Amino acid sequence: MPELLIRNARVVRAGDSAPDSLELFDIAVSAGAIEAIGPALPAGERTEVVDAAGLLAFPGVVDAHQHWGIYGDLAADTESESRACAQGGVTTSLSYLRTGRYYLNRGGSYRDFVPDVLDRMAGRSSVDYGLHLAPMTAEHIDEIPYLVAEFGVTSFKIFMFYGGHGLHGRSADQSDFLMIPPGERYDLAHFEFVMRGIQRARARFGDHLSLSLHCETAEIMAAYTALVEGDSAQSGLRAYSASRPPHSEGLAITIASYLAHETGLADINLLHLSSAKAVEAAMTMAKAFPRINFRREVTIGHLLADVDTAHGIGGKVNPPLRERSDVEALWRHLLAGDIDWVVSDHACCRDEQKFGADRDDVFLAKSGFGGAEYLLPGLVGEGMKRGLPLGRIAELTAANPARRYGLAGKGDLAVGFDADIVLVDPDARWTVRAAASESAQEYTPFEGFEMNAAVTDVFLRGNHIVRDGEVQGDAHGRYLRRGRP
């Protein structure tokens, strides 16, 4: 007999369509995995039975882009932000980390850095978690095979805008900020060498290794930031968007794509595309270099909010929130099948860190905000209004990122897969309030947004971690070593 039986759920899998076409099934769980899916499954005397009462059952969200510990203590962030993940139906978090300022505020070898990271996170997460790492130095490039073999890290990152630009909009001393050795530069040549290092590792370990890129062009941003800061007519989120214009994304995508072509690196992930120009550049490069297996990512923030609707300059993020026309362009591409997954880019930044002495000066504010708790309900609610099939939502939030990033047993509701299950009420109506979030962040750019779907219950490997919308129980999350899909 199963340990857990979820009755009367409308099970959503990749390829499914409208909710009315979904049959009511039971989901049986034993030893943390799905044992059976079907009608009227038997329960034993000791089986925990949960009646889904016709709610949608989605695979647990694989949020492939988060930043735990970027602005706060990593251990504390792991606790609070993983609870925010659970609240929004995220059962697997993949966090981008690097050496340099923020995160652990240290440079040096990843051989020393990663064990410290994992020690700080151990036993504190409410959801399963993994790491992406950014090779910031020549030493890190040499360490790529060690990171793959020792820690199961299969995905790496380049922050293109760090090539002479600061994190929050102003130019910064690169060596001091990134803590790179004397004589080294974080520039286009380094990006090329990172690609070559990953390609060498792929020849040894397999083609499941991939590279993700934050595509903005440092020189364009530096010049436009100076122009915008000198123009008193521009302010707020619209000014920040103008300081990092959409064509900066398009140009960076073009450069990165050619470098991937030159180095033979076939698996490229283009992160958080924020504008029509960015997606158009990504689509153009896919046609120009058909041998490169591009994946295209957008965030729930860029799908829900724009420079006018976000709640204040707490919506500052890189790349910026854009005009409503860009939001609509992202939705057109999403509905057309041009986007591969949707993420939160969750980066908790508490109020006292986020805002400068002048709380209205966007250039004094730090970049990034949380949002994992709104990822699935936001995409289900807005997506259903726009005709996005439920099975497509399951692909965008679970199946596609799980496959790309080598998360065996994640991303689907099927026999043998981890029992990561999210019950969603597609008829719920509620208003976003930062005070109701489990995140340590005291504000949200989504404040006051009306949501049209709600996560009610979440199971992580069969553990009932959210009940009736409330996070509960111990921290059951595990570190995920990744390998071949």
Side-chain angles (χ1 to χ4, degrees):
M1 291 296 103
E3 297 163 4
L4 168 69
L5 188 64
I6 301 173
R7 291 203 182 279
N8 304 314
R10 289 183 287 171
V11 176
V12 180
R13 299 189 64 194
D16 288 337
S17 53
D20 291 342
S21 68
L22 300 177
E23 296 182 58
L24 289 176
F25 284 134
D26 299 345
I27 307 172
V29 176
S30 291
I34 296 175
E35 183 181 73
I37 299 177
L41 296 179
E45 291 183 1
R46 298 184 180 181
T47 301
E48 177 190 358
V49 178
V50 175
D51 186 0
L55 296 180
L56 300 173
F58 279 90
V61 173
V62 177
D63 191 345
H65 192 151
Q66 297 198 357
H67 295 274
W68 292 359
I70 183 172
Y71 295 123
D73 175 73
L74 178 58
D77 234 25
T78 299
E79 292 182 7
S80 62
E81 304 320 297
S82 69
R83 289 176 66 86
C85 286
Q87 194 174 25
V90 174
T91 54
T92 299
S93 164
L94 295 179
S95 229
Y96 285 100
L97 278 84
R98 58 162 174 78
T99 54
R101 300 294 175 196
Y102 301 112
Y103 302 104
L104 301 191
N105 286 305
R106 56 187 275 192
S109 167
Y110 275 138
R111 290 176 180 267
D112 302 321
F113 184 90
V114 175
D116 192 1
V117 164
L118 296 180
D119 182 63
R120 295 180 189 217
M121 301 172 84
R124 294 179 171 88
S125 179
S126 293
V127 302
D128 288 348
Y129 58 96
L131 303 178
H132 311 285
L133 294 173
M136 308 302 294
T137 67
E139 180 182 32
H140 292 165
I141 296 174
D142 291 339
E143 289 176 329
I144 289 172
Y146 171 79
L147 297 172
V148 175
E150 185 70 18
F151 301 109
V153 174
T154 62
S155 45
F156 301 88
K157 184 176 182 179
I158 288 171
F159 301 84
M160 292 186 73
F161 71 95
Y162 281 154
H165 202 73
L167 176 59
H168 308 302
R170 300 180 185 277
S171 296
D173 181 87
Q174 187 186 79
S175 296
D176 178 66
F177 177 69
L178 298 180
M179 298 183 182
I180 56 180
E184 291 196 24
R185 294 289 301 168
Y186 193 78
D187 55 15
L188 290 176
H190 179 76
F191 305 160
E192 176 187 333
F193 297 148
V194 169
M195 291 184 180
R196 293 192 185 279
I198 295 172
Q199 186 62 4
R200 289 192 297 272
R202 282 163 61 91
R204 175 177 170 184
F205 294 100
D207 59 7
H208 59 291
L209 306 186
S210 67
L211 175 66
S212 300
L213 293 114
H214 180 137
C215 293
E216 292 182 280
T217 310
E219 293 84 356
I220 297 293
M221 293 189 301
Y224 274 75
T225 296
L227 290 174
V228 173
E229 286 188 308
D231 181 1
S232 60
Q234 299 194 71
S235 62
L237 296 180
R238 179 166 277 108
Y240 193 60
S241 179
S243 75
R244 302 172 80 115
H247 73 272
S248 168
E249 285 187 89
L251 179 58
I253 290 166
T254 303
I255 294 170
S257 300
Y258 189 83
L259 283 178
H261 165 71
E262 170 64 21
T263 60
L265 184 56
D267 287 299
I268 296 294
N269 312 309
L270 301 174
L271 303 183
H272 44 40
L273 304 176
S274 74
S275 63
K277 289 183 177 180
V279 182
E280 288 161 5
M283 301 295 289
T284 300
M285 291 300 99
K287 293 178 181 178
F289 303 115
R291 293 184 180 179
I292 300 176
N293 186 10
F294 288 104
R295 291 291 184 268
R296 294 174 286 271
E297 171 190 284
V298 297
T299 80
I300 193 64
H302 290 104
L303 288 171
L304 295 184
D306 60 48
V307 292
D308 292 314
T309 61
H311 186 74
I313 65 170
K316 180 179 177 179
V317 67
N318 301 331
L321 298 179
R322 302 294 189 188
E323 301 288 340
R324 175 50 49 172
S325 59
D326 283 307
V327 174
E328 295 303 320
L330 293 181
W331 275 105
R332 286 195 298 273
H333 283 290
L334 192 71
L335 292 166
D338 299 331
I339 304 302
D340 293 288
W341 54 74
V342 179
V343 298
S344 69
D345 196 3
H346 188 99
C348 174
C349 187
R350 299 191 65 165
D351 188 278
E352 66 269 19
Q353 298 169 300
K354 179 74 175 184
F355 303 99
D358 181 352
R359 291 180 63 92
D360 295 323
D361 187 340
V362 73
F363 290 101
L364 295 181
K366 288 186 169 60
S367 300
F369 51 79
E373 60 270 60
Y374 313 119
L375 173 51
L376 187 59
L379 191 60
V380 171
E382 186 66 18
M384 289 182 68
K385 286 195 301 182
R386 292 173 178 264
L388 186 65
L390 294 175
R392 181 79 176 116
I393 296 173
E395 289 177 346
L396 291 165
T397 60
N400 288 353
R403 291 169 186 159
R404 180 61 152 189
Y405 290 120
L407 291 162
K410 302 292 188 183
D412 196 5
L413 297 181
V415 173
F417 276 68
D418 286 357
D420 298 348
I421 304 162
V422 183
L423 300 183
V424 174
D425 182 351
D427 300 315
R429 300 292 181 268
W430 57 285
T431 302
V432 172
R433 299 297 180 204
S437 171
E438 292 281 348
S439 173
Q441 184 173 285
E442 305 95 330
Y443 63 91
T444 175
F446 306 113
E447 185 77 24
F449 279 35
E450 297 299 324
M451 291 286 181
N452 299 303
V455 169
T456 65
D457 292 77
V458 180
F459 303 85
L460 173 70
R461 288 177 278 101
N463 295 295
H464 202 164
I465 63 172
V466 175
R467 189 188 300 268
D468 296 327
E470 299 294 327
V471 182
Q472 60 176 22
D474 299 327
H476 293 286
R478 297 175 180 170
Y479 173 68
L480 301 173
R481 290 179 55 91
R482 292 173 287 138
R484 286 185 174 276

